[in-house]
Amino acid sequence: MKKLLCIALLLVLVLLALPALAQQAAPVLTYTEPYLLTLNPQSEMSVLWLTKEPCEGFVEYGPTPALGNRIEAQRHQIKGLRTSATPEGYDPDPAKNPEAQVYQLIAKIEGLDSGATVYYRVTTKNGADTQVGKRYFFNTAPQAGGSFDFALLSDMQMKVKTKETMHFLGQQEKDFILFAGDLSNTPWKVGEWFNYEGAYQVPAEADRSFFECFQQDGDNSRLMQYMPVFFCPGNHEVDDQRVMTDKTMAADDANWSWSVYMQLFRPLYPEQEHGVNGKRWYSVNYGDLHITSLNVHRWQSWDGFDYPGWITKDDISPDSPQVQWLNQDLSSATQKYKWVVMHWHMLNRGDDAWFPVSKAVADPKNPEKAIYPEGDYCWDVLRPLYEQHQVNAVNFGHSHVYERYLINGVNYIEAASIGNNYRATNDPYHPSGHMPVMEENAFRSVMVVRVDENGMNARGIQASVEANGVGYIGRVFDTFSIAK
Ligand SMILES: [Fe+2]
Ligand SMILES: [Fe+2]
């Protein structure tokens, strides 16, 4: 009898353990949750996600949580991502680190209604293994006159408060994000994007990879799974960051490539021109707002170059393809509001961080010093176009501060006090003499913008309390409005 009882008990234990064993056996096929990109937010959305194997996948979607429609995903391989040479770290030469296996699935949903909420869910398949994702939703852009909300963001780069600030941003319930560049630090390092088994992570940055921060969805935080992000590239989107400090490498255009960034966000860059002067600009219309995303960033050598080694890639001289396109883009836009997103802080306090964007040559009177005979293309070429075409606002990043300028009707905003802060001293003003109407670097912050029947209204919101004790989380510290 005792024996029978023991066998029965054993059977019960095995039966109880079976579901757990089955769950354990199902492999996780994906590196990321889905993320959303589009150049036509009123009627189309691309759903993207990254997988470990060359998987198949599809997206189910519909106007209610019941979904109902299905579209197959296209597969790409992401080339150029590498894991660390050893568990202790990466070799500085990317080629000496093993290639990481990363695949990308993209399902493009078309024919959506404007101003609609769309529910969706991704499914990933690898042979007999199937992984069904969580259900998310997004909003399509409204028609002219409709209201919407968006947020500004830049310079995540795994900085100390990035994760917390992103989580706070996710709780603000926006429809899309404008991201002004510098996503990670070194694009080819796979561990900076997501957890990759065996890839080295700097201990302090272990849980701050790009997708970990940007896909937090606890406590009603809604980020990349719930809204399209309109990116522009920053200097940290160059694949091999050694060009910043190695003068010989920097001199050869072949060493400059933006391939990882452009592959990860492929639907924004259908031409996939990865090299110098490749097409890394686009525009989209979101309701009453025309958004222009530019490719403006330059490299500071810090101590890696002798003057006049400052370098500018990706031309914005007056006759360059990008500037000609910009002129055409802004003059043909008929939306009520116009907004430009670009990485380079064309207005910024700080003699360690601000330089003209044009070709540097040695000062004949002091060969150690660089001069810029062609001036600053941002100030002399972009600014007049912004004023002529009545751009309402330009947001940028790069120096990790909060500053806002208002010059001839154009707001210039660096809402980049996200993860850290590079404003340590009272740095000099822009050479034009313009001062920020607001600067606030005592805490991390986000800027959110609402467009509705009252016009366009922006708010800078405090996202942290630092050791200085200034303010409180949620406090509005800066506002500006643009009348309808
Ligand atoms: Fe930057
Ligand atoms: Fe940055």
Side-chain angles (χ1 to χ4, degrees), residues 17 21 180 188 207 224 324 330 356 406 461:
L21 283 173
W188 60 264
D207 60 347
M224 251 184 153
Q324 287 183 347
L330 292 177
L406 179 58
I461 305 178

Side-chain angles (χ1 to χ4, degrees), residues 49-60:
W49 67 109
L50 303 178
T51 67
K52 301 177 180 181
E53 305 285 339
C55 298
E56 310 289 324
F58 60 86
V59 172
E60 295 163 280

